[in-house]
């Protein structure tokens, strides 16, 4: 029999599954499988037939993916059916994924643990949650301030050097210095991403959003990703790329929360023994939600906006307790930033005394709006919707094109980044030469032209008393460029030709920059482009509107944000906190609603598109229409591996060796029950811990929870942090132990969620997502059948899987 099973294993290896698993992590959470051991005997014929069926299932595991060959396809390239349910893109690497389990495992150990807890222990648990929320806020606030301070000083030195060389009329040397510094910074940031943490590239918001939906892609929240996210973002933004540090700050906050939630990193020797690990994905999910909100608060100094961002865009599950904890975290971030800003007011923070933290503060005196103003807002909303949908479409095309370059390896990623850096430097330095020199306005409070600092009136190559308006936008940090566009009372400061040229450049550079191997956010490019066409619209409609050009820039930024990201409430509050202009609330709300409605007619939001392109099996809050025509039993496939309540060790070992399944049904049979019945569901990780402890018996008898508690505690079965859990290779089961028995009752979840096989698949999908499940047991409708039909997992709800089983179904009906 062992020879037969070894042959099966070799054939499975030939199909490439184990090779794929060795590339990253084991593929888990697909479905349990079937092993009909009703009496625990060595019925070779039954076992042989079952494993043959399982072998066919295993070899067909990637059957709809060109026999697993599709896992070698490049980043974001269009793939064939059923790839996104099993693999995902991390950086440019294709990695297996697994789901997170937010369900409470109510087994005997869990119940005994809660019964034995005293009030002081429960208080300590609650206090630890709030303490970690405090630490997340403190750490994210400090990191956000450090990022801004580093960017302002590095970029400030670069711009000051360029300005001084231009004042000496050494224009070519100024370009070499400007472009050379940009090139070095870009190459360093790309090298960090390409060689240390490919998962740090991009904004990270799609990955965080998918994680909070229940998808655990390899290394997206690892300490190495956090390190590269911080320093790569500093390098990328300082290099003059048209990108922001706001998106990466969301990912940074989530990484900080994950690091604290699991007590540090054993791999990098960053562990804190006084920080007890949280025991479940549910607890870590709440912390990472707080971290993502803290990232927005640190990036924009918008604590309420951070909470609403986590609620509207990031989190898939929400409750009032999490709202309070998230609000507390963002409040801590706001306090930390305020204190550090006050410190910088003394001039101890380098070139730009306030640390570069965004605060545009364009408070207006406009309290009423006329009908022409509303017409202008409607026009801006339509423009933002069209431009936003076009931006998302073009970004999709560009990312798929970049995939052919990124798949070739790290050197090609760095080369692509260097190419875009050179293009950006040429545009930033070269395009202002096309603009005319403009006389400085009279009666200005600030110096004109601006020399040696940021400001609206860059001298560039102009004579004394003149400024270059296009250089004021290009040769500044992105934050300062936004301040210039949002500035009030400056209707004649920028020429129309300048605004058109700047909009075209920012729109194009924002598209081609996002796919390079550096941490990059989309908020700043979108705000820049939107503010630019907002000012253009304000200038054109100036004769019929009373709104200032700076207010039009704000409305333009809101419309473009709504058109690309499809967020409304959180973007509205973030913009109001950024600009300190509550009088514009109603107009910002209107323009966001219009732009989102228009853009939704064409495609999805940018983060939703990227989630799909990366192959992350994100579950929407609503079921697809075609799911209403199917029932749960239609998509369940076998074989289903089940264990008896007291199972033979050898059977468990073989099942763990030959499958990557995460959950296995446990069926009680006589003499432990009157008839076969579903006792519950046992997790792979719990089986590994139990086998590692070797609490075996020679007879097929129940040992009970007391026997297990003598060897294990509830904490032994808690989910370990990233990379710390037991692997199958850690087991050392002797040959004589293979014929012994182990009692699975104490570690089996006795109350798994179940649905009847005739339930609508749409209803099952909503239930699966709302409860945050990893396994959903399907039970038979009629009596006299086995107590379980199969297990539904995230994979079974993906369009690729369903349409692969039923190709005749129209996906939009």
């Amino acid at each position: 029999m062992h020879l037969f099973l070894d042959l099966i294993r070799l054939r499975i290896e030939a199909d490439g599954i184990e090779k794929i698993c060795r590339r990253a992590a084991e593929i888990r959470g697909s479905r349990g499988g079937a092993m009909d051991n009703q009496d625990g005997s060595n019925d070779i014929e039954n076992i042989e037939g079952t494993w043959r069926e399982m072998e066919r299932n295993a070899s067909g595991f990637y059957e709809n993916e060109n026999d697993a060959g599709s896992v070698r396809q490049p980043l974001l390239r269009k793939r064939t059916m059923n790839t996104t349910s099993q693999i995902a893109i991390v950086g440019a690497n294709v990695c297996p994924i697994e789901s997170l389990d937010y369900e409470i495992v109510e087994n005997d150990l869990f119940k005994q643990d809660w019964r034995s807890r005293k009030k002081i222990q429960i208080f300590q648990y609650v206090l630890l949650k709030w303490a970690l929320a405090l630490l997340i806020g403190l750490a994210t606030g400090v990191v956000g301030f450090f990022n801004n301070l580093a960017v302002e000083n590095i970029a400030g030195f670069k711009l000051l050097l360029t300005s001084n060389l231009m004042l000496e009329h050494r224009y070519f040397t100024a370009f070499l210095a400007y472009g050379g510094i940009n090139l070095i910074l870009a190459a360093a940031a790309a090298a960090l991403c390409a060689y240390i943490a490919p998962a740090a590239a991009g904004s990270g918001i799609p990955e965080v959003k998918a994680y909070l939906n229940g998808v655990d892609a390899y290394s997206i929240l690892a300490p190495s990703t956090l390190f590269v996210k911080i320093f790569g973002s500093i390098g990328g933004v300082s290099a003059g790329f048209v990108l922001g540090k706001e998106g990466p700050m969301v990912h940074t906050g989530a990484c900080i929360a994950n690091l604290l939630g699991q007590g540090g990193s054993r791999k990098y020797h960053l562990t804190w023994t006084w920080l007890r690990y949280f025991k479940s994905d549910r607890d870590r999910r709440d912390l990472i939600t707080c971290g993502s909100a803290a990232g927005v608060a640190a990036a924009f100094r918008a604590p309420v906006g951070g909470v609403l961002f986590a609620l509207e865009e990031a989190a898939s599950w929400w409750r009032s307790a999490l709202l309070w904890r998230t609000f507390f975290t963002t409040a801590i971030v706001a306090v930390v930033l305020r204190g550090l800003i006050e410190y910088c007011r003394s001039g101890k923070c380098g070139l730009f005394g306030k640390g570069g933290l965004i605060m545009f503060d364009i408070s207006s005196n406009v309290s009423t709006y006329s009908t022409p103003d509303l017409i202008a807002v409607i026009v801006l909303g339509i423009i933002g919707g069209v431009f936003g949908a076009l931006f998302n479409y073009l970004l999709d095309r560009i990312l798929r094109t970049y995939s052919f370059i990124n798949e070739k390896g790290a050197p090609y990623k760095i080369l692509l980044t260097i190419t875009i850096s050179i293009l950006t430097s040429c545009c930033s330095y070269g395009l202002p030469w096309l603009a005319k020199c403009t006389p400085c306005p009279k009666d200005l409070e600030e110096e004109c032209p601006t020399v040696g600092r940021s400001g609206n009136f860059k001298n560039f190559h102009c004579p004394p008393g003149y400024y270059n308006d296009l250089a004021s936008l290009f040769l500044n940090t992105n934050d300062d460029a936004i301040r210039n566009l949002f500035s009030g009372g400056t209707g004649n400061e920028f020429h129309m030709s300048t605004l058109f040229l700047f909009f075209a450049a920012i729109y194009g550079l924002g598209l081609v920059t996002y796919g390079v191997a550096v941490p990059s956010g989309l908020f700043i490019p979108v705000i820049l482009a939107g503010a630019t066409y907002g000012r253009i619209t304000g200038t054109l409609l100036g004769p019929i509107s009373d709104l200032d050009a700076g207010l039009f820039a704000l409305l333009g930024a809101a419309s473009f944000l709504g058109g690309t990201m499809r967020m409304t409430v959180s973007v509205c509050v973030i913009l109001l906190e950024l600009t300190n202009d509550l009088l514009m609330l109603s107009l910002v709300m209107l323009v966001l609603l219009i732009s989102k409605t228009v853009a939704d007619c064409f495609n999805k939001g940018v983060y939703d598109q990227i989630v799909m392109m990366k192959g992350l099996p994100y579950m929407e809050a609503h079921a697809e229409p075609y799911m209403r025509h199917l029932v749960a039993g239609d998509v369940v496939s076998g074989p289903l591996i089940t264990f008896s309540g007291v199972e033979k060790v050898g059977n468990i070992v073989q099942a763990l060796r030959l499958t990557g399944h995460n959950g296995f049904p446990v069926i009680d049979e006589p003499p432990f029950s009157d008839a076969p019945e579903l006792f519950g569901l046992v997790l792979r990780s719990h089986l590994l811990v139990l086998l590692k402890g070797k609490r075996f018996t020679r007879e097929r008898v129940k040992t009970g929870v007391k026997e297990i508690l003598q060897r294990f505690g509830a904490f032994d079965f808690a989910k370990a942090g990233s990379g710390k859990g037991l692997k199958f290779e850690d087991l050392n089961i002797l040959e004589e132990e293979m014929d012994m028995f182990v009692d699975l009752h104490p570690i089996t979840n006795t109350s798994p969620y179940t649905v009847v096989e005739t339930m609508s698949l749409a209803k099952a999908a909503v239930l699966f997502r709302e409860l945050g499940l990893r396994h959903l047991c399907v039970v038979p409708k009629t009596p006299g059948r086995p107590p379980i039909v199969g297990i539904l997992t995230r994979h079974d709800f993906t369009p690729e899987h369903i349409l692969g089983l039923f190709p005749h179904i129209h996906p939009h009906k």
Side-chain angles (χ1 to χ4, degrees):
M1 174 178 174
H2 293 294
L3 177 61
F4 171 79
L5 294 176
D6 288 338
L7 289 174
I8 296 297
R9 181 176 58 81
L10 291 174
R11 291 179 63 182
I12 293 175
E13 287 180 348
D15 283 325
I17 292 179
E18 292 193 0
K19 178 181 177 182
I20 297 166
C21 292
R22 285 195 299 269
R23 288 187 60 186
E26 288 185 347
I27 300 175
R28 297 178 182 171
S30 181
R31 56 173 56 80
M35 197 171 187
D36 193 9
N37 284 335
Q38 295 189 1
D39 58 359
S41 64
N42 290 325
D43 189 339
I44 296 180
E45 182 178 354
N46 288 340
I47 295 176
E48 180 179 14
T50 301
W51 285 108
R52 273 181 183 164
E53 191 176 0
M54 192 186 73
E55 178 222 356
R56 289 194 298 271
N57 183 61
S59 63
F61 194 65
Y62 286 107
E63 193 169 42
N64 291 329
E65 307 169 38
N66 297 331
D67 296 330
S70 63
V71 299
R72 292 187 292 273
Q73 294 188 13
L75 170 66
L76 305 180
R77 191 187 298 179
K78 281 189 175 180
R79 300 187 291 268
T80 56
M81 193 71 71
N82 199 26
T83 57
T84 61
S85 60
Q86 309 296 345
I87 57 175
I89 305 298
V90 179
N93 299 325
V94 181
C95 295
I97 59 173
E98 65 175 274
S99 296
L100 298 167
D101 194 355
Y102 297 144
E103 180 185 0
I104 296 176
V105 180
E106 292 185 341
N107 54 29
D108 291 341
L109 279 173
F110 172 84
K111 296 173 184 177
Q112 182 67 24
D113 178 53
W114 274 101
R115 282 194 295 263
S116 63
R117 286 193 180 188
K118 299 178 181 178
K119 288 185 178 180
I120 186 63
Q121 293 174 314
I122 297 175
F123 175 76
Q124 289 174 346
Y125 172 74
V126 175
L127 183 64
L128 180 60
K129 278 192 172 183
W130 286 97
L132 286 177
L134 172 66
L135 291 176
I136 291 168
L138 290 173
T140 307
V142 171
V143 170
F145 177 78
F146 170 73
N147 279 11
N148 282 279
L149 193 63
V151 167
E152 289 295 316
N153 281 278
I154 295 173
F157 169 79
K158 174 189 69 179
L159 294 172
L160 183 61
L161 177 62
T162 304
S163 176
N164 291 337
L165 290 172
M166 294 196 73
L167 289 175
E168 300 173 5
H169 304 289
R170 299 166 62 184
Y171 300 123
F172 185 70
T173 305
F175 172 70
L176 290 180
Y178 178 77
I181 294 175
N182 285 346
L183 191 65
I184 293 172
L185 292 171
L192 286 174
C193 275
Y195 289 106
I196 298 179
S203 71
I205 292 178
E207 288 84 352
V208 173
K209 182 176 180 179
Y211 184 93
L212 294 176
N213 187 260
V215 180
D216 188 12
Y218 183 71
S219 79
I220 60 174
L221 297 176
S224 58
T225 304
L226 172 62
F227 171 81
V228 174
K229 207 73 181 183
I230 295 173
F231 292 97
S233 177
I234 292 172
V237 177
S238 301
F241 281 125
V242 181
L243 51 82
K245 50 189 176 294
E246 287 68 27
M249 271 306 304
V250 175
H251 197 178
T252 298
C255 289
I256 291 172
N258 181 66
L259 188 66
L260 291 173
Q262 64 184 19
S265 172
R266 186 180 301 170
K267 178 180 177 182
Y268 297 99
H269 306 289
L270 298 172
T271 55
W272 299 276
T273 54
W274 58 275
L275 269 180
R276 289 191 64 189
Y277 302 157
F278 276 98
K279 293 187 176 183
S280 66
D281 289 327
R282 177 187 292 261
D283 290 327
R284 292 174 191 161
R285 174 194 68 189
D286 291 350
L287 290 178
I288 290 170
T289 302
C290 293
S292 64
V296 175
F300 291 109
R301 279 206 299 173
V304 179
V307 174
L308 293 175
F309 174 86
L311 170 62
E312 181 180 9
E313 183 65 15
S316 294
W317 297 277
W318 200 264
R319 62 184 190 278
S320 59
L322 180 59
L323 175 66
W324 281 103
R325 201 170 297 117
T326 306
F327 187 72
F328 171 72
T329 305
T330 57
I332 296 299
V333 173
V335 171
V336 170
L337 292 179
R338 176 63 63 182
L340 293 173
I341 289 171
E342 290 300 323
Y343 173 78
C344 283
R345 291 187 189 278
S346 60
K348 299 178 181 179
C349 294
L351 294 175
F352 294 79
K354 296 182 181 180
L357 285 155
I358 297 177
M359 191 64 178
F360 302 126
D361 200 359
I362 58 166
S363 301
S364 66
N365 296 319
V366 179
S367 57
T368 59
Y369 317 111
S370 60
T371 302
D373 295 331
L374 295 178
I375 294 175
V377 169
I378 294 173
V379 171
L380 272 178
I382 295 173
I383 293 173
V386 173
F387 277 151
L390 178 62
F391 186 91
N392 292 357
Y393 171 78
L394 294 176
L395 186 64
D396 179 274
R397 299 295 98 192
I398 290 172
L399 290 177
R400 294 187 187 279
T401 303
Y402 281 176
S403 69
F404 293 93
I405 301 174
N406 290 334
E407 70 169 335
K408 296 181 183 296
Y412 289 88
K413 293 183 189 178
I414 298 173
L415 182 61
L416 175 62
T417 305
I418 289 174
T419 303
I420 300 301
S421 175
I422 294 173
L423 174 64
T424 303
S425 297
C426 291
C427 290
S428 300
Y429 188 85
L431 290 179
W433 290 91
L434 302 178
K436 298 178 180 179
C437 291
T438 305
C440 289
K442 298 180 180 180
D443 301 327
L444 278 179
E445 295 182 1
E446 60 178 302
E447 178 186 357
C448 179
T450 302
V451 178
R453 60 181 179 83
S454 61
N456 285 27
F457 307 101
K458 284 288 184 178
N459 178 262
F460 201 60
H461 67 292
C462 297
Y466 288 78
Y467 72 96
N468 188 306
D469 57 349
L470 192 53
S472 300
L473 299 176
F474 272 121
L475 294 181
N476 261 322
T477 61
N478 292 332
D479 292 350
D480 287 328
I482 294 175
R483 287 189 182 92
N484 294 344
L485 289 170
F486 279 8
S487 59
T490 57
N492 299 320
E493 188 172 308
F494 300 100
H495 295 97
M496 287 292 289
S497 58
T498 294
L499 294 175
F500 275 109
L501 191 59
F502 185 71
F503 171 74
I506 291 299
Y507 197 93
L509 289 174
L511 284 169
V512 300
T513 302
Y514 185 77
V516 300
V518 295
S520 54
L522 285 172
F523 273 98
I524 292 301
V526 169
I527 291 175
L528 273 174
T532 305
Y533 73 67
R535 282 192 78 102
I536 293 174
T537 305
T539 304
L540 294 176
L541 300 180
I544 64 170
S545 175
D546 297 329
L547 297 180
D548 185 82
L551 297 180
F552 269 106
L554 170 63
L555 294 173
S559 70
F560 202 19
L561 284 168
T564 54
M565 301 179 183
R566 315 295 161 84
M567 293 183 286
T568 53
V569 179
S570 56
V571 167
C572 180
V573 173
I574 287 172
L575 287 176
L576 293 178
E577 289 185 282
L578 274 177
T579 58
N580 193 26
D581 193 1
L582 287 176
L583 296 176
M584 295 296 292
L585 174 62
S586 56
L587 294 184
V588 172
M589 292 172 63
L590 179 61
V591 77
L592 279 168
L593 289 172
I594 294 174
S595 62
K596 181 185 185 303
T597 303
V598 172
D600 281 339
C601 297
F602 298 99
N603 49 34
K604 291 186 176 182
V606 63
Y607 296 133
D608 294 321
Q609 286 190 174
I610 294 173
V611 165
M612 191 186 332
M613 287 189 290
K614 286 179 175 290
L616 299 168
Y618 185 87
M619 291 194 69
E620 299 288 350
H622 60 277
E624 297 294 337
Y626 60 82
M627 291 184 179
R628 302 189 182 278
H629 304 295
L630 301 171
V631 296
D634 290 334
V635 298
V636 170
S637 57
L640 182 71
I641 300 177
T642 65
F643 293 135
S644 298
V646 180
E647 185 58 83
K648 183 171 289 188
V649 173
N651 293 338
I652 300 176
V653 170
Q654 293 295 347
L656 295 178
R657 175 186 297 163
L658 295 177
T659 71
H661 306 326
N662 182 263
F664 302 89
V666 175
I667 296 178
D668 261 346
E669 298 153 340
F672 303 112
S673 64
D674 295 333
E677 64 179 18
L678 177 63
F679 181 78
L681 192 76
V682 64
L683 299 182
R684 181 189 188 91
S685 58
H686 292 182
L687 288 172
L688 290 172
V689 174
L690 190 63
L691 293 178
K692 184 74 173 178
K694 296 191 174 186
R695 305 298 289 186
F696 307 145
T697 60
R698 297 192 177 276
E699 302 296 330
R700 192 166 181 259
V701 294
K702 279 188 176 182
T703 57
V705 67
K706 292 183 178 180
E707 178 71 19
I708 296 294
L709 285 173
Q710 292 177 3
R711 174 64 178 80
F712 303 103
F715 187 73
D716 294 324
F717 292 91
K719 182 172 180 178
S722 303
K724 300 175 185 175
L726 278 176
K727 302 294 188 296
F728 178 78
E729 294 75 15
D730 298 329
L731 299 181
N732 183 23
I733 307 298
L734 303 178
E735 189 66 29
E736 58 269 20
E737 293 173 332
M738 299 289 277
D739 292 327
M740 299 179 73
F741 294 90
V742 60
D743 186 7
L744 302 183
H745 291 97
I747 66 168
T748 299
N749 181 8
T750 56
S751 57
Y753 286 95
T754 60
V755 297
V756 69
E757 61 183 339
T758 55
M759 176 183 279
S760 163
L761 187 62
K763 193 173 181 180
V766 173
L767 177 69
F768 190 92
R769 185 198 190 268
E770 291 299 322
L771 296 175
L773 303 180
R774 185 170 186 173
H775 310 98
L776 183 60
C777 298
V778 181
V779 297
K781 175 75 171 178
T782 57
R785 298 168 55 191
I788 182 169
V789 175
I791 297 179
L792 289 174
T793 64
R794 182 176 294 266
H795 159 76
D796 297 302
F797 295 105
T798 57
E800 294 82 8
H801 173 67
I802 297 172
L803 298 178
L805 293 175
F806 305 97
H808 63 280
I809 292 181
H810 195 284
H812 301 294
K813 293 183 180 180

